[in-house]
Amino acid sequence: MSLPLPLSILDLATVTRDESVGEALEASTTLAQRAEEWGFRRIWYAEHHNMRGIASAATSVLIAHVAARTERITLGSGGVMLPNHSPLQIAEQFGTLAELHPGRIELGLGRAPGTDQETVRALRRDPAASERFPQDVQELQGFLGEHSTIPNVAAYPGRGTGVPLFVLGSSLYGAQVAAALGLPYAFASHFAPDALQRAVALYRAEFRPSAQLSAPRVLAGVNVIAADSDEEAQDELRQVQRQRVRLFAGRRGTSLTDAETDVVLDGPAGDQIRSMTRHSAVGTPDTVTRYLEEFAALADADELIVAGAATRRERWWRSWELLASKVQTGS
């Protein structure tokens, strides 16, 4: 049994316990090299700030590093949080990447800041910038194309590279923006699943063809924990839920023990954590494959983008190896 639709990877460059940031980034680089051999379509890296367990904050820098150490696999952002940046700077960064690695770079764009409000202030960004998201996407398109929307301002590098754009979202708003601009839509169902089906249906109904895309294309995020037994996978899922608790606590500078995280998980807040990981393929390779097939139909997705959720590095590698054995012919 193998998956019949393309599969890509969302790598958060997670820093596991007792691991340095450098070691985590090296693991991400090695994953990209192996994913290229296994036949995965693309790898995206997400912009998160002020989260001690995630090392992908400087997204374009990480992409540059990985691109220089791989040969074919497509690399991009999943996503760059556009309100944190000027469109010109993003066009220059990803235009540079596109010139260095032609045909391999793409750019996913999100509207949320990817962090908490204190960090938004530290980023020196305008909290109202998200309200300009559709206009900023169009401005970025202009910089990456041949016709800037701002007179006498062009992106060098960037101009004429035509870096493909994707709109990321977890709400109806993102679906509307992607549909209106004729761009692919990637739904963050791996951590914010509530509006998945409504957003995808709205996107497909309202899609307007564009120079980049003639028909709607949907990518849906899903967590995967593959293991040699269902019991081992379920145990790792519990560890993932504990890690989610720690990630949020870490923003407040708090370190929690397993016992303390279990108190949170077994209380009312645990319902929210479990809801966030609702779309998770957990089990043996056959169990995971069946779940992904069912999820793709549920999401009405053209492609799945998988977040490897295992928290211990050895289990993380084993999960990818087992998944790869099922997706080679489908990718």
Side-chain angles (χ1 to χ4, degrees):
M1 181 191 301
S2 61
L3 281 168
L5 77 170
L7 207 69
S8 297
I9 292 173
L10 174 65
D11 183 5
L12 298 180
T14 302
V15 185
T16 63
R17 297 174 78 174
D18 303 319
E19 186 178 57
S20 70
V21 170
E23 289 169 334
L25 293 174
E26 186 59 32
S28 288
T29 304
T30 304
L31 173 63
Q33 293 168 333
R34 294 186 184 179
E36 190 170 69
E37 298 170 0
W38 289 329
F40 285 86
R41 174 166 288 191
R42 59 168 54 82
I43 298 181
W44 280 358
Y45 303 98
E47 178 187 343
H48 291 283
H49 300 281
N50 196 29
M51 300 188 79
R52 68 175 67 182
I54 295 178
S56 54
T59 312
S60 60
V61 177
L62 180 54
I63 292 171
H65 175 81
V66 174
R69 288 157 178 79
T70 51
E71 297 178 0
R72 301 176 307 279
I73 196 165
T74 299
L75 301 167
S77 61
V80 160
M81 302 294 103
L82 197 52
N84 296 341
H85 311 275
S86 75
L88 176 60
Q89 288 176 314
I90 296 302
E92 291 169 341
Q93 291 173 16
F94 280 78
T96 301
L97 290 169
E99 295 287 3
L100 290 169
H101 307 282
R104 295 183 57 203
I105 304 299
E106 54 195 18
L107 178 52
L109 302 168
R111 175 174 174 254
T115 188
D116 55 83
Q117 291 304 308
E118 291 84 357
T119 309
V120 168
R121 289 192 288 273
L123 287 166
R124 302 295 194 268
R125 302 307 302 161
D126 177 4
S130 61
E131 298 173 9
R132 302 190 297 271
F133 180 69
Q135 293 77 20
D136 284 349
V137 173
Q138 290 175 300
E139 186 176 312
L140 178 57
Q141 278 184 308
F143 284 134
L144 293 170
E146 298 289 350
H147 305 288
S148 171
T149 61
I150 300 180
N152 303 315
V153 179
Y156 299 114
R159 185 176 187 271
T161 57
V163 174
L165 302 184
F166 296 70
V167 172
L168 280 59
S170 58
S171 69
L172 303 186
Y173 180 86
Q176 291 174 313
V177 172
L181 298 180
L183 296 174
Y185 182 49
F187 192 91
S189 36
H190 61 294
F191 76 91
D194 290 345
L196 170 62
Q197 291 173 291
R198 287 180 296 141
V200 171
L202 178 65
Y203 167 71
R204 291 192 181 279
E206 297 190 359
F207 180 83
R208 301 175 186 173
S210 67
Q212 178 177 325
L213 195 65
S214 61
R217 183 164 186 83
V218 173
L219 288 74
V222 59
N223 301 294
V224 167
I225 302 173
D228 293 294
S229 70
D230 288 327
E231 293 76 16
E232 183 181 351
Q234 288 296 330
D235 176 70
E236 188 60 27
L237 176 61
R238 182 69 173 187
Q239 299 298 330
V240 168
Q241 293 169 341
R242 285 172 172 168
Q243 183 187 57
R244 295 288 176 101
V245 174
R246 288 192 180 96
L247 283 173
F248 292 118
R251 281 180 167 170
R252 300 189 296 273
T254 305
S255 297
L256 301 179
T257 65
D258 283 353
E260 289 168 334
T261 61
D262 285 344
V263 170
V264 175
L265 286 172
D266 294 335
D271 292 337
Q272 181 182 2
I273 296 294
R274 283 184 287 276
S275 177
M276 290 173 65
T277 56
R278 183 188 317 159
H279 294 312
S280 298
V282 181
T284 63
D286 285 344
T287 301
V288 166
T289 300
R290 283 192 295 270
Y291 183 93
L292 293 179
E293 290 176 334
E294 293 168 1
F295 173 71
L298 173 76
D300 193 15
D302 302 294
E303 184 174 336
L304 299 182
I305 186 157
V306 170
T311 61
R312 285 168 274 190
R313 192 59 73 189
E314 64 276 9
R315 287 193 174 183
W316 186 78
W317 281 122
R318 184 59 178 157
S319 180
W320 286 120
E321 289 167 354
L322 293 172
L323 180 61
S325 71
K326 292 295 184 181
V327 303
Q328 284 179 335
T329 59
S331 297

